[in-house]
Amino acid sequence: DSGVTQTPKHLITATGQRVTLRCSPRSGDLSVYWYQQSLDQGLQFLIQYYNGEERAKGNILERFSAQQFPDLHSELNLSSLELGDSALYFCASSSTGADSPLHFGNGTRLTVT
Amino acid sequence: GESVGLHLPTLSVQEGDNSIINCAYSNSASDYFIWYKQESGKGPQFIIDIRSNMDKRQGQRVTVLLNKTVKHLSLQIAATQPGDSAVYFCAESPQYGNKLVFGAGTILRVKS
């Protein structure tokens, strides 16, 4: 068990809808990362937060947004969903901003129909 | 651990043999490298890491080798067990950053 908790485990929704994925990092970790894993793209970095502030941005669509709250949990919001957004979404956390391993949750499987 | 990717390379080994999984990384500025194991239905699990000022690091049954000259990373698993069956990813991070970039992955199948 990595200590990173993601909810929900599964989400099925229709195109055009909006969903929120939630992540609780390991106790004491200040950095939270979101990754998308699809069959044809592998693990793609979306965005990183450190202690409530956005630290780095990757291949995150404008329809997607995230935030990290004062209690350090994070939410990833996906809107105007398309079929191609179906994927596994992973949250990871680490203790510092550099040179420390990321610890991943077990992901949220999003299916857009 | 085989649900990720349709065209991942596969390494099949006999139980008890040693496994070597290779990874070519792309960014010569990367200075931190990690190996992850992903089993079906789970998130990537940290195995071992290495910094660019080292060329070898050992853990329990695992060894990571780094060759910066040819930008190559390998993971050696000793006495491979059925529980080692999974997809293995290498990941690299640029200097002063922690934005991990993942490789495509390798499927390891252990035959009993």
Side-chain angles (χ1 to χ4, degrees):
Chain A
D1 183 9
S2 69
V4 177
T5 303
Q6 289 188 248
T7 57
K9 290 184 179 179
H10 303 278
L11 204 46
I12 302 174
T13 189
T15 54
Q17 295 298 305
R18 172 190 168 95
V19 296
T20 297
L21 282 51
R22 184 188 166 100
C23 170
S24 294
R26 290 190 321 162
S27 177
D29 283 357
L30 299 178
S31 275
V32 170
Y33 307 76
W34 287 97
Y35 280 80
Q36 180 192 57
Q37 186 175 45
S38 58
L39 286 176
D40 59 348
Q41 295 268 343
L43 271 160
Q44 298 289 315
F45 170 71
L46 295 178
I47 197 164
Q48 177 201 356
Y49 281 83
Y50 179 80
N51 203 20
E53 302 283 331
E54 183 183 302
R55 175 64 65 91
K57 231 173 184 178
N59 301 320
I60 187 166
L61 300 172
E62 285 192 10
R63 299 184 286 109
F64 296 0
S65 65
Q67 54 184 330
Q68 186 180 27
F69 295 87
D71 67 353
L72 300 178
H73 91 271
S74 178
E75 292 181 355
L76 179 67
N77 301 296
L78 314 176
S79 62
S80 302
L81 286 167
E82 301 175 359
L83 296 177
D85 297 327
S86 296
L88 276 164
Y89 291 85
F90 288 104
C91 170
S93 71
S94 71
S95 56
T96 66
D99 288 5
S100 59
L102 273 58
H103 297 273
F104 284 79
N106 284 327
T108 293
R109 181 175 291 280
L110 174 66
T111 302
V112 182
T113 62
Chain B
E2 298 151 15
S3 61
V4 177
L6 294 175
H7 304 291
L8 297 182
T10 300
L11 174 66
S12 293
V13 300
Q14 196 67 38
E15 180 180 0
D17 288 351
N18 296 335
S19 303
I20 300 177
I21 300 171
N22 296 303
C23 175
Y25 64 93
S26 56
N27 189 347
S28 56
S30 292
D31 71 342
Y32 180 58
F33 305 88
I34 306 182
W35 280 100
Y36 283 92
K37 170 188 180 183
Q38 187 175 22
E39 298 173 281
S40 183
K42 296 186 178 180
Q45 176 187 355
F46 170 77
I47 301 174
I48 192 168
D49 59 0
I50 188 168
R51 287 169 174 74
S52 59
N53 60 353
M54 303 172 70
D55 53 21
K56 180 178 180 179
R57 191 167 186 218
Q58 289 185 291
Q60 187 177 15
R61 278 202 310 119
V62 295
T63 301
V64 55
L65 298 177
L66 174 62
N67 185 330
K68 295 181 289 293
T69 302
V70 295
K71 292 190 287 186
H72 184 267
L73 197 65
S74 69
L75 177 70
Q76 300 177 1
I77 304 173
T80 313
Q81 301 168 2
D84 294 327
S85 293
V87 180
Y88 288 80
F89 294 94
C90 66
E92 59 181 299
S93 178
Q95 196 173 25
Y96 306 123
N98 202 10
K99 173 188 152 183
L100 284 179
V101 176
F102 282 79
T106 297
I107 298 170
L108 176 65
R109 296 183 201 267
V110 182
K111 298 174 285 186
S112 299

